[in-house]
Amino acid sequence: MFLPAIKKPICYSLKQQGRAYRVAVSIFIKEEIALHRRMISHNMTWIRYPSHSFDPSIRIEDLIVSQNVISRFMHCYIAFFVPTGLIAGIFILTVFIKNYLRDSGLEKLDIFLFYFTISNIVMIFFSFTVITRPDYLMATQLECGALSFFFNVSYFNSQYLLILMLLAFLFSRFPPRTVLMTKATQSPMLCVGFVLTCAFCISLVVVALLGTDNYHKETACQLDPLFAWPEYEIIKFSFGFGIPLFFQILCFILFFVKEAQPEAPTQNIQAYLAVLTITITMFVCRLFYNTMILSRTTLKIHKSIGTPKNELMMNIAEIVLFSENCISLIFILCLHKPCQAGILKILMNLTKVCRKDTTNNRPEIPVTDIRSENGSH
């Protein structure tokens, strides 16, 4: 007679266990689905360049127009910007090395500009990867990742060296009060080493976001690989453009605010003008480049390969980025006073050599004796 009273709590507890089991299973399934979605978001095997895809919605006429424009931009860059940038860089390095050997050292700004020039020349050498455009360099994903790593080291290094030059201007007008900052500003080589270490570490972080799958497979390689995770572009934008831009604006604000004070010491206007021009040029070119990088990230998040126009704009942005390195070297050569003096000295030596050659090779005009000629008649 007591069996129903005993069965009821047993059945009730079984129902509770079953409900708890179903809840646990549903939570586990949801976690698995979320994990699967995260894995899919980091799986970039589906992505293709529009020119390499077989999407029927892409018109052949649009591809032809896009590839023609890319090819023309590439030829203009290789024909005009690369030779000019390399010649300017070689002149700058020659001037700095001569000044170093003559004076047994360089000024702080000259040391920063020396390494900035080396970084820009390295970037120009990396730009030779655009020679194959409108096609892409074919390499394994491992080789493409290694190429991207060294490219990013130069990319971050040049950006951080520019901040270092702005800080050098600021600290030269108003020296820091802390002992550590004073020692750092008095040893420019230590500052350059710190900047290079930061660029190296951030490049490691960025390249780690390329993914770890299919490194043995051959792919169409770009210096910013298409198969990178979306976080690659976000981190690169943050540490390669957003954060440095904040520090640059802060340096300019402090510089102009402190410049109005009467006790501020005088500054080399020519050197400041050179750094200011380089800053504006780098901002304009890298703004366009980073905008296109974020646009490509948006396409990845929406699982879209984009259009031929998207591919065209990304290629133009990459060429504009490389052109900025050449233009910056030309500005240093034309606006920095030691480089101006070095160019004038080289031109004067060339004119002296040319004058010597003309005087040595001048034809001798035979002089005849007029009296002897008259006497013979």
Side-chain angles (χ1 to χ4, degrees):
M1 65 185 288
F2 296 102
L3 285 175
I6 296 171
K7 285 182 179 179
K8 189 173 181 181
I10 292 173
C11 295
Y12 184 71
S13 63
L14 288 173
K15 285 181 181 179
Q16 277 187 330
Q17 289 177 2
R19 191 179 295 113
Y21 176 76
R22 286 194 297 271
V23 170
V25 170
S26 64
I27 292 173
F28 176 76
I29 291 172
K30 287 179 180 179
E31 289 178 354
E32 286 293 320
I33 291 172
L35 179 62
H36 182 65
R37 285 177 178 172
R38 287 197 298 269
M39 290 175 67
I40 290 174
S41 67
H42 289 124
N43 183 10
M44 294 289 118
T45 56
W46 57 269
I47 199 164
R48 296 285 185 278
Y49 290 103
S51 58
H52 290 184
S53 67
F54 300 97
D55 191 351
S57 63
I58 297 176
R59 297 172 54 194
I60 299 177
E61 293 83 2
D62 295 338
L63 281 176
I64 293 172
V65 172
S66 172
Q67 291 186 349
N68 283 337
V69 175
I70 293 171
S71 179
R72 289 175 183 176
F73 266 88
M74 182 272 294
H75 283 102
C76 288
Y77 169 73
I78 295 296
F80 298 106
F81 286 92
V82 170
T84 310
L86 288 177
I87 291 170
I90 292 169
F91 267 115
I92 294 168
L93 294 181
T94 304
V95 169
F96 284 151
I97 291 171
K98 283 186 175 181
N99 291 345
Y100 176 80
L101 295 175
R102 184 188 62 195
D103 302 331
S104 299
L106 290 173
E107 294 183 2
K108 187 186 302 180
L109 181 63
D110 291 345
I111 292 174
F112 295 155
L113 286 174
F114 180 81
Y115 285 102
F116 183 80
T117 303
I118 293 175
S119 183
N120 281 4
I121 291 174
V122 172
M123 288 278 285
I124 293 173
F125 284 131
F126 277 116
S127 71
F128 285 117
T129 55
V130 304
I131 291 177
T132 57
R133 304 294 163 82
D135 203 356
Y136 296 92
L137 181 69
M138 298 305 296
T140 63
Q141 291 191 11
L142 180 61
E143 294 169 346
C144 192
L147 194 65
S148 177
F149 168 75
F150 290 108
F151 162 70
N152 281 311
V153 170
S154 298
Y155 177 84
F156 290 120
N157 189 51
S158 60
Q159 185 76 63
Y160 297 159
L161 279 172
L162 184 60
I163 297 175
L164 199 60
M165 285 186 272
L166 293 174
L167 288 174
F169 275 112
L170 191 63
F171 289 151
S172 64
R173 297 179 63 83
F174 292 90
R177 297 179 181 179
T178 60
V179 178
L180 183 62
M181 290 297 295
T182 304
K183 289 182 178 180
T185 54
Q186 289 175 355
S187 57
M189 294 299 296
L190 180 64
C191 297
V192 171
F194 176 74
V195 164
L196 187 58
T197 304
C198 291
F200 184 85
C201 294
I202 296 173
S203 299
L204 281 178
V205 174
V206 168
V207 172
L209 298 173
L210 293 178
T212 57
D213 296 331
N214 303 320
Y215 269 156
H216 63 282
K217 289 187 178 180
E218 195 173 42
T219 183
C221 181
Q222 209 170 359
L223 291 175
D224 290 306
L226 186 67
F227 58 84
W229 295 349
E231 289 86 351
Y232 172 92
E233 285 94 354
I234 295 171
I235 295 297
K236 183 166 184 177
F237 172 82
S238 301
F239 288 93
F241 185 75
I243 296 174
L245 179 62
F246 169 77
F247 280 107
Q248 289 171 14
I249 293 173
L250 184 64
C251 287
F252 276 115
I253 291 173
L254 292 174
F255 185 83
F256 284 116
V257 167
K258 291 177 180 298
E259 190 180 24
Q261 298 179 6
E263 68 272 11
T266 58
Q267 185 70 46
N268 187 352
I269 301 299
Q270 245 181 338
Y272 176 73
L273 182 62
V275 175
L276 177 63
T277 310
I278 293 169
T279 306
I280 295 172
T281 306
M282 185 177 287
F283 167 74
V284 173
C285 296
R286 297 202 176 194
L287 175 64
F288 178 46
Y289 173 74
N290 282 273
T291 303
M292 291 300 104
I293 280 183
L294 291 182
S295 175
R296 194 170 75 173
T297 307
T298 307
L299 293 175
K300 289 181 181 180
I301 293 172
H302 290 90
K303 296 293 187 293
S304 172
I305 63 172
T307 63
K309 184 179 179 181
N310 297 127
E311 185 178 4
L312 168 65
M313 296 305 291
M314 188 63 215
N315 278 275
I316 292 176
E318 194 175 23
I319 294 173
V320 168
L321 173 69
F322 293 134
S323 302
E324 173 259 315
N325 297 285
C326 303
I327 295 170
S328 296
L329 293 176
I330 294 169
F331 282 144
I332 294 173
L333 189 65
C334 297
L335 297 177
H336 192 43
K337 193 171 182 179
C339 296
Q340 288 179 346
I343 293 174
L344 291 175
K345 190 174 181 180
I346 291 171
L347 291 176
M348 288 176 63
N349 291 333
L350 287 175
T351 53
K352 286 180 181 178
V353 170
C354 293
R355 287 173 183 173
K356 287 180 180 179
D357 290 339
T358 53
T359 53
N360 292 334
N361 297 327
R362 184 178 295 174
E364 295 182 359
I365 302 174
V367 180
T368 57
D369 193 353
I370 301 175
R371 289 179 297 178
S372 61
E373 288 183 358
N374 293 333
S376 62
H377 288 296

